[in-house]
Amino acid sequence: MGLIVEVENGDDNDAVLVPPPNFAMVEDCIFRSSFPTSSNFPFLQTLNLRSIIYLCPEPYPEENLEFLRSQNIRLFQFAIEGKTDVSTPILKDSVMDALKVLIDVRNHPVLIHCKRGKHRTGCLVGCLRKLQNWCLSSVFEEYQRFAGVKSRTMDLTFIEMFDILSLSQCLYSIIYQYHGYGSKKRRLLYKDENLQKPRLTSF
């Protein structure tokens, strides 16, 4: 899933902006995709990103880090293995920590990605949808739309079993107000700006 955007630059030639595969908007100022490469950097610049949530344990490539530095984009890394057992507490804790970063508007606009933008990204987005009170069938349909034939039953099980009540621990210190859900504005702010910041991966 992807698209190519042509932008007129005033010359005879047009600049072509190429999003990463599986790119899509999740919500206003929240995006998802597969792992970006250098060919995607011009497109990412148009998003005016503040943050990237990276869901893989492998080190971020130096070329990508250099791009983040040049654009003043923060990297939040959560080392989730590609096929983690859904019963593993580490998986739940990592997703919970990633959700804390994701719902903090100070990190928006934000891009979520893993390797292919299917499984780990799909799990995080699925848990976000549960927080937004989506029905489970719609959550699964969105996951499967991106995962395609590679859809994993264990991912769907994780999303289904993810305890939405446990999100109170990451919303405890957050005031959240919906200005008409389904309209475009959602405001989520820390009650106390002196609270401990989410873990930030240093370059």
Side-chain angles (χ1 to χ4, degrees):
M1 186 179 299
L3 67 157
I4 296 177
V5 182
E6 293 188 359
V7 179
E8 294 185 3
N9 59 10
D11 298 327
D12 292 335
N13 297 323
D14 290 333
V16 178
L17 303 179
V18 182
N22 262 347
F23 175 83
M25 177 183 283
V26 177
E27 285 286 326
D28 188 30
C29 292
I30 300 177
F31 307 94
R32 61 178 293 170
S33 75
S34 65
F35 203 108
T37 64
S38 58
S39 64
N40 308 131
F41 292 169
F43 175 80
L44 294 184
Q45 283 182 287
T46 69
L47 303 179
N48 297 313
L49 295 173
R50 285 185 183 173
S51 309
I52 283 180
I53 295 176
Y54 172 48
L55 301 174
C56 301
E58 294 81 11
Y60 218 53
E62 184 58 38
E63 182 179 32
N64 291 60
L65 289 175
E66 192 59 46
F67 171 73
L68 298 193
R69 282 191 286 262
S70 71
Q71 302 299 310
N72 197 28
I73 298 171
R74 292 168 292 180
L75 176 66
F76 296 91
Q77 181 172 3
F78 301 92
I80 301 174
E81 295 290 343
K83 293 184 178 180
T84 305
D85 190 298
V86 295
S87 63
T88 305
I90 293 175
L91 177 58
K92 176 186 172 183
D93 293 344
S94 296
V95 170
M96 186 70 69
D97 288 343
L99 276 170
K100 292 178 186 179
V101 174
L102 182 59
I103 64 177
D104 186 345
V105 295
R106 294 174 299 179
N107 298 320
H108 295 178
V110 58
L111 173 69
I112 311 161
H113 79 80
C114 49
K115 284 188 177 178
R116 292 181 169 79
K118 295 181 179 181
H119 304 116
R120 285 166 281 197
T121 298
C123 285
L124 180 59
V125 172
C127 293
L128 173 67
R129 297 309 192 193
K130 289 189 71 174
L131 174 62
Q132 296 174 320
N133 294 317
W134 279 35
C135 67
L136 201 56
S137 61
S138 295
V139 175
F140 285 178
E141 188 279 329
E142 182 179 42
Y143 170 90
Q144 290 166 333
R145 179 155 34 95
F146 287 90
V149 297
K150 298 279 180 84
S151 177
R152 293 176 179 166
T153 301
M154 65 179 185
D155 288 347
L156 299 178
T157 300
F158 174 79
I159 295 170
E160 182 176 9
M161 299 300 292
F162 191 80
D163 184 7
I164 203 67
L165 293 178
S166 67
L167 282 174
S168 59
Q169 65 184 278
C170 78
L171 292 175
Y172 234 148
S173 305
I174 300 175
I175 300 172
Y176 62 103
Q177 303 171 20
Y178 288 90
H179 297 287
Y181 180 71
S183 76
K184 309 229 175 148
K185 297 294 181 184
R186 185 178 72 253
R187 190 69 175 161
L188 295 163
L189 292 173
Y190 273 93
K191 196 186 301 181
D192 182 354
E193 290 296 324
N194 293 321
L195 290 173
Q196 183 177 359
K197 301 293 190 297
R199 178 174 57 83
L200 178 64
T201 299
S202 59
F203 292 133

